[in-house]
Amino acid sequence: MISLETPKKHRVLVDQAHQVAMNMLRPISRKYDRAEHEYPKELDMLAAMIDGLAESGSSSGAGAAGVRRDDTDGDDGRVRNGTNLASVLSVAEMCWGDTALLLSMPRQGLGNSAIASVATTEQQARYAGTWAAMAITEPSTGSDSASITTTARLDGDEYVINGEKIYVTSGDRADSVVVWATLDKSLGRAAIKSFVVKKGNPGMKVERLEHKLGIRASDTAAITFTDCRVPADDLLGSPDIDVKQGFAGAMATFDNTRPLVAAMAVGCARASLDLTRDLLARAGVEVDYDRPAQVQSAAAAKFLQMEADWEAAQLLTMQAAWMADNRKPNSLEASMAKAKAGRVGSDITLSCVELAGSLGYSEVELLEKWSRDSKILDIFEGTQQIQLLIVARRILGLSSAELR
């Protein structure tokens, strides 16, 4: 039976993540927003601390690494669960501090989630400690990941990769990049595989870093691959092309990463709500949870509506993580969570700026920054529109060819 309360065993982790967000991320948030592309050196100490907690077994980490669904039961014969839920809860807390700094955390890249989702057991061990970015989007391919044109051709015991990727989060700082490429364009989406390409590999070049509206502390790169040779063993998972399975293997990555991005939006929105409640109280506007919204001030009524939307986004995010932990297919729920949280996060952070007036629009508070940061969470890992399309396909039982 599903329970969406924070499990007792995760409460220490969640509290640790909140303390880190409040005492380590918030104080440097504005500094690195202004110093775009400058690496936040303070994160090295934080990453080392998280690594130590993970190695000691006292924590599963507080970053965006994600987890794989283990087919092995625990010693007691029950399903090992809770790691996905721990990830989304800790990610939400860290983004309560700063989303861009979380995305800049060493060894916590979205590429690590891809590795966790589809790598073999041997690859899991070999890539332990890797900081992996994820390269999917191309100049001519936006939300339709299945139509990527980057190619990977087998040549002896190596693959030769050619193509261009854009909007690669941590593409310059990470020590490897998970690159999505097709083995055979004629076979469509079934031939799309992901490869771990190590930084410094001849043929891989970071062309530029993007200047962005938000998450400015996080580097976002454009990368080209020109006859880039990678060992065949660095193809994640099985090299076999299963036309019947189609894109399912690659999409398993999104089933893990989309709840994580939803959690980022939940955390950023929660930060805005908490600060806005305090600012409203200072202005003499009290939000009364025991009275109907229609008999309160317009500002209080708006705040209550935003909190209701936030609650829905949080519960959908936790549900998607809980299902992954319990080996239940969660593609529908992952897209629902991403769609709801992405939209709600953007709406809430911008509405909080409006409610706070000139104080919200200025740099005196972090509200304006959070409104800029949150927008990307409605875009990357599948846009709002794509998520709604996926949800419709799942509910109606239609394929991508039948419902575009």
Side-chain angles (χ1 to χ4, degrees):
M1 181 177 178
I2 187 171
S3 172
L4 294 178
E5 293 293 326
T6 301
K8 185 180 296 185
K9 64 180 179 180
H10 296 329
R11 289 173 189 167
V12 173
L13 170 63
V14 171
D15 183 62
Q16 288 173 341
H18 185 78
Q19 293 301 316
V20 167
M22 180 170 58
N23 298 314
M24 297 185 71
L25 301 188
R26 283 274 182 98
I28 61 174
S29 180
R30 182 67 72 184
K31 170 185 174 181
Y32 287 105
D33 180 60
R34 289 171 174 161
E36 186 174 18
H37 299 157
E38 180 180 335
Y39 176 66
K41 296 179 181 178
E42 294 88 341
L43 296 182
D44 288 337
M45 180 180 67
L46 178 56
M49 181 182 73
I50 291 175
D51 288 344
L53 288 171
E55 289 173 8
S56 68
S58 60
S59 168
S60 58
V67 299
R68 72 188 285 115
R69 299 181 196 180
D70 199 336
D71 291 332
T72 305
D73 289 341
D75 295 335
D76 58 2
R78 293 182 300 175
V79 175
R80 289 175 179 166
N81 65 3
T83 319
N84 276 285
L85 191 56
S87 292
V88 299
L89 290 171
S90 59
V91 162
E93 289 298 335
M94 295 284 275
C95 287
W96 182 89
D98 190 273
T99 302
L101 291 174
L102 170 72
L103 290 169
S104 301
M105 286 279 293
R107 298 176 295 285
Q108 303 290 334
L110 290 172
N112 291 95
S113 290
I115 293 172
S117 299
V118 298
T120 64
T121 302
E122 182 275 329
Q123 288 174 329
Q124 290 281 324
R126 180 150 47 91
Y127 300 135
T130 295
W131 181 5
M134 187 153 66
I136 302 176
T137 306
E138 300 177 356
S140 59
T141 303
S143 297
D144 186 6
S145 300
S147 63
I148 65 175
T149 59
T150 297
T151 60
R153 175 178 54 84
L154 185 62
D155 182 17
D157 57 356
E158 293 181 320
Y159 282 95
V160 181
I161 300 177
N162 283 280
E164 180 181 2
K165 298 292 184 179
I166 58 175
Y167 303 136
V168 182
T169 302
S170 298
D172 187 46
R173 297 172 184 164
D175 50 43
S176 60
V177 179
V178 175
V179 182
W180 289 33
T182 178
L183 301 182
D184 188 339
K185 289 183 180 180
S186 67
L187 295 179
R189 59 182 61 201
I192 294 174
K193 300 289 181 178
S194 48
F195 300 80
V196 177
V197 183
K198 296 179 178 62
K199 187 61 65 65
N201 191 315
M204 182 174 76
K205 180 182 179 183
V206 176
E207 296 289 345
R208 66 181 182 277
L209 297 180
E210 306 290 354
H211 295 281
K212 309 184 298 296
L213 171 71
I215 58 166
R216 292 165 62 86
S218 171
D219 67 307
T220 304
I223 304 177
T224 56
F225 300 87
T226 307
D227 293 331
C228 181
R229 305 184 74 90
V230 299
D233 289 343
D234 285 336
L235 182 153
L236 289 176
S238 171
D240 298 331
I241 300 174
D242 187 346
V243 178
K244 291 182 179 179
Q245 184 187 38
F247 203 42
M251 290 301 292
T253 298
F254 290 131
D255 294 344
N256 270 353
T257 58
R258 282 170 177 161
L260 288 172
V261 175
M264 294 177 197
V266 165
C268 188
R270 182 75 257 169
S272 294
L273 288 170
D274 289 347
L275 177 55
T276 300
R277 186 193 297 106
D278 291 343
L279 293 176
L280 289 175
R282 288 182 218 167
V285 177
E286 294 293 338
V287 180
D288 190 341
Y289 294 93
D290 294 324
R291 297 169 61 213
Q294 63 266 28
V295 299
Q296 299 189 55
S297 67
K302 176 65 174 178
F303 190 88
L304 287 170
Q305 176 239 310
M306 290 192 296
E307 284 216 319
D309 283 342
W310 179 87
E311 185 84 11
Q314 184 201 35
L315 292 175
L316 282 169
T317 301
M318 293 177 70
Q319 179 190 27
W322 182 91
M323 293 181 72
D325 284 332
N326 288 274
R327 299 192 202 149
K328 298 178 182 292
N330 74 332
S331 293
L332 171 62
E333 289 74 16
S335 287
M336 282 181 168
K338 171 67 169 63
K340 179 68 173 179
R343 183 179 68 251
V344 164
S346 186
D347 289 348
I348 285 177
T349 53
L350 191 56
S351 294
C352 285
V353 169
E354 294 172 355
L355 284 179
S358 58
L359 192 58
Y361 197 70
S362 73
E363 291 190 355
V364 174
E365 301 288 355
L366 287 168
L367 287 174
E368 61 82 26
K369 178 185 182 300
W370 293 332
S371 72
R372 290 186 286 110
D373 288 347
S374 66
K375 186 56 190 175
I376 190 59
L377 303 176
D378 195 29
I379 297 173
F380 71 2
E381 294 300 291
T383 65
Q384 172 74 207
Q385 294 77 10
I386 288 297
Q387 299 310 315
L388 294 178
L389 185 58
I390 292 171
V391 169
R393 288 171 182 164
R394 295 285 189 273
I395 291 175
L396 298 174
L398 299 176
S399 67
S400 57
E402 293 170 319
L403 183 60
R404 294 181 178 274

